[in-house]
Amino acid sequence: MTYLQAISDGLRVEMRRDERVFVIGEDVGVYGGAFKVTLGFQEEFGPWRVLDSPLAETAILGACTGAAIMGMRPVAEMQFADFISCGWDHLVTVAAKQRFRAGTPVPIVVRLPSGGGFSGGPFHSQNPESSFAHIPGLKCVCPATPEDAKGLLISSIEDPNPVLFFEHKHLYRRIKGEVSEERYTVPLGKARTHREGDEISVITWGAMVYTADEAAKELEKQDVSVEIVDLRTVMPWDREAVLASVRKCSKVLVLHEDTRTGGFGAEIAATIAEEAFEDLDAPVKRIAAPDCPVPFAPVLEKAYIPQVEDVVAGLSELAAY
Amino acid sequence: MVRGSLELRRRSTRDGGTHAAMAVREAEPVGSLNEVKEAGLDREDLLAIYRHLLVTRGIEERGHILYKQGKIPGSFYTGRGNEGAAVGVATAMGPDDVGTPLHRDMGVHVTRGVEPWRIFAQYMGREDGPTRGRDGNVHMADARLGMIAMVSHLPAMLPVAVGCALAFRIRHERRVAVGWYGEGAAARGDAHEAMNLAGVRQLPVVFVCDNNQWSYSTPTHLAYPVEHLADRAAAYGFDGVVVDGTDVLAVYREAKMAIEKARDGGGPTLLELQTLRMEGHAVHDDAFYVPKELFEEWAKRDPVERFRTWLRENAELRDDEEDEIASRVKKILNDALARADESPLPDPATLLEGVYATSEDLDTPHHK
C-alpha cells in the first residue's frame, strides 16, 4: 500500500472503531480532500463525521479544540501544511496551553500535507515542524514509511494532546510498503533505525530518509558504513536513540528539508554537543535547506531542497575528517 | 433607551447616511413580576440572582483590596458594570450547557457555582486556584461546571465554543454552548470565522458580545463601523438582539430565548449586551479617556442597584431580607478570603506537570 493509502487506512480503521473520531477540513467530504486521503469517507461515515468546512483554518482548529474538550476525537486536515499559519494562534495560544493552565486536555490531530519537490512554490511546499516543536504542549509527528504512517496516525488519534501529523506530499504515491490490514500502533517519541551502519550516523526524518538512503548507498561503494536514524517523531524526539547511534558511529550528519537556522536539526546538534562531545571524532555536520522561502522553478527548488549529491558530499567530508 | 456614547454613535451613523440600517431587534426592558414568572423565574430564583450579583461585585471589590495590599501578583481586572450581563446569561444556561466566559464575566463563574475561595486563591496564584498558579486573574474555569478557561487573545474562545456546539450536534445532544467576546475583539477574524461556521452549520451556540464601549482606551467608533454589532448576525444567517446589559432580567429573558432556540435546533443567536466598563481596563488604568459625564450617566444604571430597586418595587423585597442576604454574602466573602489565604503556594518542583496530558487526564466529565 502507498504512504497515502496507509494514512487513509489508519484513519478509516479508527473511525470504524471509535465513533468519537470525526474529520473536518476544506474539501474533505465529497471531493475526498485535495490529495484524496478521505476519498469515500463521507459515503461511509456520513456528512456529520466528515465535515466540509468553510475556508477558515482558525474555525477548523478552534472547533476541533471545543469538540475535543467535549469528548470527541477530531482529526483536522489542513489542505496544505503551509496554511497552518492561519491557525497558528489557535494552536499555540489555546490548544497547546489548555492542559497546563486549566487542566483540560485537548486530544486533537491536525493532518498536514507538507514538503516540497514538485514546484509547489513558497506556499505549498513548506516543512513547518520546527516552529511547532518549539511550542511546549504540542507534539509533531513526521512519518517516512507507509507502515509508520498508519501506526503513528492511530497513536496520534489516541494521544491526549494536540498532535501535528506532517505527511510528506512527495511520499504520498511514490513510496509503497507492506502495511498490515489490522489495527496497530507505533509509539510516539521512538526513532527507527532505517539502515544499520557504524561509521557515520545520519539523523533525519520525513522524505529526507530516502535522500539519505540513496547517499548511503553511494558511500557504501566507497566502503563507508552509514547508519540512518529516522526520528519519526520530532516532538517528543528520541534522544536516547540518537545519542546511542552517535556513540556507536562517532561521526554525525543532521539532515532536514526545513531551513537551516533555528531548524530542529540545531536542537539535535546542540544536544549531541552537550551529551556526546567526548564520543565525537568530527564536528557535527548539518545539511538543510538554505534560509530562503521555497522557490517555484524546478532548477531553483532543486538548489533549495537537499539533494542526494549534497548528502554524498557531506558524508564524504565527514568520512575524510 | 441606552444613552451615552452608544447614542452618539447611533446619531452620527444616521447623519452620515452611508450605512444601511439593519433590522436587529432591540429588546424591551423587563417589566412586572408576572412577566418574569412567565420567563421561568420564581421569587427564589430572583433572590439567587441578587445574591450572585452581590457575590460577584464583592469578589471583585475584595480583589481590589487584595491587589492594593500586594497580595495579587501581576495585574487585576474587574467587570464592574457587567455583573447583570454575566449573571443574566449564566442564569439562563442549563446545567449541561457550556461556556467560555471572559474577564468581565465573573458573574458567570459565581452563578455556575465556583466557590469564591477558589477564585481568591486563583487571584493570589495559590495551589487551590482552578489553574494552580499556572495562570492568573479570570483566566480560569471549572470544567466540571461546564466552563472552559479563557485566553488573553480575544476572541479566541469563540471558535472553541462553536466546536463544543459541533460536538453536541454530531451526538444529537440537547445542549448549548455560549461564547463570549467584547466589542473590541469583534474586530478580529476569529469572531468572523466562528460565526460563519456556526451559521453555515446552524449549530447550537449563542454568541454574547459584552459591549462595554471601551476596548482598553479605544471607543466604539474606532472599533466598528456599523450601528450595532448585533447587525452582523444577519450576515451569518442568524438573529441579532441588542439588550440593555444593565437590566439583568432583560438579559436573562433574551439569553433564555436564544439558548432554548438553539437547543431546539433553531441555530445561533448573537446577543449584544450594552453596558459601560465602569473602571479602567485593568487596575493600573484610571480610564481618564472616558468622559466623566458618561460615567455619571451610567452610574445611575448600576446593574446591582437597579435590580435591588426592581426587587423592592416588584417582588416585595423587605429590609430584613435584604439585610439577611447582605450579611450572608459578607460571611461568604470573609470565609472565602480566610480559606484562600491558607492555600499553599504552588510547589516549583511541580512546574512541568501538565505540559503534556496523560491518558488519565482524559477521565473528565466530558471525555467519557
Side-chain angles (χ1 to χ4, degrees):
Chain A
M1 153 181 331
T2 63
Y3 180 90
L4 185 144
Q5 286 165 336
I7 293 166
S8 186
D9 191 50
L11 191 52
R12 194 182 297 106
V13 162
E14 279 311 87
M15 288 186 74
R16 284 178 183 166
R17 190 183 74 90
D18 183 350
E19 62 176 19
R20 301 171 305 173
V21 181
F22 73 92
V23 170
I24 183 168
E26 293 155 18
D27 310 298
V28 297
V30 172
Y31 193 71
F35 297 95
K36 306 292 182 190
V37 169
T38 54
L39 189 65
F41 276 48
Q42 201 172 59
E43 285 88 333
E44 179 170 354
F45 300 106
W48 285 95
R49 284 185 73 200
V50 185
L51 290 124
D52 278 317
S53 74
L55 199 161
E57 284 75 14
T58 298
I60 294 168
L61 296 171
C64 286
T65 292
I69 293 173
M70 292 300 110
M72 301 295 282
R73 291 303 184 93
V75 178
E77 176 177 300
M78 295 286 103
Q79 197 154 75
F80 285 80
D82 309 68
F83 301 141
I84 201 169
S85 56
C86 302
W88 161 273
D89 181 32
H90 175 79
L91 275 177
V92 170
T93 303
V94 184
K97 297 176 175 60
Q98 208 69 9
R99 168 64 191 89
F100 177 77
R101 303 184 315 120
T104 319
V106 179
I108 65 176
V109 176
V110 187
R111 294 186 32 248
L112 297 152
S114 58
F118 50 91
S119 284
F123 309 115
H124 291 75
S125 309
Q126 296 173 84
N127 294 279
E129 66 269 15
S130 299
S131 309
F132 293 97
H134 184 67
I135 307 298
L138 300 179
K139 293 189 176 182
C140 297
V141 178
C142 302
T145 69
E147 189 183 6
D148 283 349
K150 177 175 173 180
L152 286 167
L153 180 61
I154 293 174
S155 290
S156 300
I157 295 171
E158 268 188 351
D159 197 275
N161 294 285
V163 179
L164 278 62
F165 191 85
F166 294 89
E167 306 168 1
H168 203 293
K169 300 191 291 287
H170 203 46
L171 306 182
Y172 267 155
R173 293 182 171 82
R174 205 164 56 95
I175 298 297
K176 287 184 181 163
E178 287 294 312
V179 176
S180 165
E181 300 281 334
E182 302 298 307
R183 179 183 190 274
Y184 63 90
T185 57
V186 172
L188 305 189
K190 289 281 172 217
R192 173 184 70 96
T193 304
H194 181 78
R195 178 191 175 91
E196 297 264 6
D198 56 19
E199 288 178 74
I200 305 175
S201 173
V202 180
I203 314 299
T204 191
W205 57 91
M208 284 294 113
V209 168
Y210 301 97
T211 306
D213 196 60
E214 284 187 52
K217 284 173 188 153
E218 289 298 313
L219 269 285
E220 196 174 29
K221 293 174 193 162
Q222 303 163 29
D223 281 337
V224 178
S225 165
V226 174
E227 176 152 293
I228 299 173
V229 177
D230 169 12
L231 273 192
R232 303 200 283 197
T233 310
V234 168
M235 186 54 70
W237 65 288
D238 194 342
R239 293 161 57 105
E240 286 68 32
V242 168
L243 292 172
S245 178
V246 168
R247 288 183 176 124
K248 176 167 109 181
C249 300
S250 79
K251 293 179 181 178
V252 60
L253 169 68
V254 182
L255 169 67
H256 58 66
E257 188 180 318
D258 187 15
T259 51
R260 180 182 173 91
T261 303
F264 201 73
E267 175 64 28
I268 295 168
T271 303
I272 293 168
E274 283 180 330
E275 306 284 336
F277 184 77
E278 301 290 335
D279 300 293
L280 290 174
D281 286 330
V284 177
K285 189 164 190 63
R286 277 188 291 163
I287 294 181
D291 296 327
C292 151
V294 189
F296 166 71
V299 63
L300 293 178
E301 192 182 29
K302 191 161 176 283
Y304 172 88
I305 296 177
Q307 302 293 312
V308 174
E309 49 269 35
D310 301 323
V311 180
V312 168
L315 290 171
S316 302
E317 269 180 49
L318 279 174
Y321 189 89
Chain B
M1 177 59 84
V2 175
R3 286 178 294 265
S5 69
L6 288 166
E7 181 63 13
L8 284 176
R9 153 189 296 289
R10 195 163 305 163
R11 235 179 285 129
S12 68
T13 307
R14 281 177 186 159
D15 293 347
T18 51
H19 303 293
M22 303 291 286
V24 287
R25 181 164 64 82
E26 295 193 45
E28 294 295 322
V30 113
S32 65
L33 184 62
N34 270 343
E35 189 202 322
V36 170
K37 278 183 179 156
E38 277 168 30
L41 297 175
D42 61 23
R43 194 167 183 279
E44 276 308 303
D45 298 326
L46 293 168
L47 294 182
I49 288 173
Y50 184 51
R51 199 168 61 244
H52 293 146
L53 290 171
L54 290 178
V55 170
T56 300
R57 176 157 295 175
I59 286 173
E60 295 189 333
E61 286 178 348
R62 302 288 183 109
H64 217 126
I65 296 167
L66 284 176
Y67 182 82
K68 287 186 172 162
Q69 289 171 336
K71 288 190 172 175
I72 296 182
S75 192
F76 181 65
Y77 302 77
T78 74
R80 196 175 184 93
N82 201 60
E83 297 92 338
V87 171
V89 174
T91 305
M93 291 168 68
D96 293 329
D97 295 340
V98 299
T100 60
L102 304 180
H103 53 308
R104 313 295 181 201
D105 301 311
M106 178 57 69
V108 176
H109 297 276
V110 170
T111 305
R112 296 291 290 183
V114 178
E115 295 172 279
W117 77 278
R118 300 201 68 210
I119 296 168
F120 289 130
Q122 166 78 7
Y123 283 168
M124 296 190 286
R126 303 297 179 88
E127 180 64 26
D128 292 300
T131 68
R132 301 175 61 221
R134 268 63 177 170
D135 204 343
N137 57 71
V138 201
H139 290 201
M140 61 174 191
D142 189 334
R144 291 165 303 177
L145 300 172
M147 286 177 294
I148 302 173
M150 66 172 287
V151 298
S152 294
H153 300 45
L154 309 172
M157 300 313 287
L158 290 185
V160 177
V162 169
C164 297
L166 178 61
F168 303 153
R169 173 61 187 80
I170 291 172
R171 298 192 301 234
H172 301 287
E173 292 172 354
R174 287 177 52 78
R175 297 168 70 187
V176 176
V178 181
W180 274 265
Y181 70 121
E183 90 288 347
R188 275 195 71 233
D190 293 21
H192 168 70
E193 291 196 21
M195 290 189 200
N196 187 58
L197 176 58
V200 165
R201 294 279 173 175
Q202 288 294 294
L203 298 176
V205 58
V206 175
F207 298 102
V208 177
C209 179
D210 288 333
N211 186 346
N212 65 16
Q213 308 189 46
W214 296 87
S215 155
Y216 210 142
S217 72
T218 306
T220 53
H221 73 273
L222 296 179
Y224 58 91
V226 286
E227 188 171 350
H228 297 298
L229 281 168
D231 290 341
R232 291 185 179 170
Y236 302 116
F238 47 84
D239 292 335
V241 186
V242 179
V243 190
D244 178 350
T246 69
D247 182 346
V248 62
L249 294 178
V251 171
Y252 165 81
R253 184 191 59 210
E254 298 302 329
K256 187 80 182 165
M257 282 192 333
I259 288 169
E260 296 313 319
K261 179 183 173 185
R263 199 185 310 287
D264 291 338
T269 302
L270 168 50
L271 299 178
E272 179 181 350
L273 311 183
Q274 296 182 332
T275 60
L276 178 66
R277 194 191 69 207
M278 297 303 286
E279 292 174 339
H281 170 65
V283 68
H284 63 273
D285 169 23
D286 68 2
F288 67 89
Y289 43 81
V290 179
K292 224 173 103 217
E293 309 76 59
L294 200 56
F295 276 133
E296 285 164 5
E297 190 61 43
W298 283 77
K300 294 175 196 158
R301 311 150 56 78
D302 177 80
V304 182
E305 186 54 29
R306 192 172 167 183
F307 185 54
R308 190 182 75 88
T309 306
W310 186 92
L311 283 173
R312 292 182 73 91
E313 289 173 357
N314 295 277
E316 296 167 343
L317 178 68
R318 302 182 308 270
D319 288 347
D320 62 314
E321 277 180 312
E322 227 183 286
D323 292 347
E324 197 246 306
I325 292 172
S327 62
R328 191 165 146 200
V329 167
K330 194 174 171 187
K331 184 169 176 351
I332 289 172
L333 296 174
N334 286 345
D335 292 352
L337 266 176
R339 191 168 173 193
D341 218 15
E342 286 168 14
S343 175
L345 295 168
D347 179 358
T350 66
L351 175 63
L352 298 183
E353 280 179 10
V355 174
Y356 288 93
T358 62
S359 29
E360 293 80 59
D361 291 334
L362 292 176
D363 186 22
T364 71
H366 307 299
H367 300 86
K368 279 144 250 155

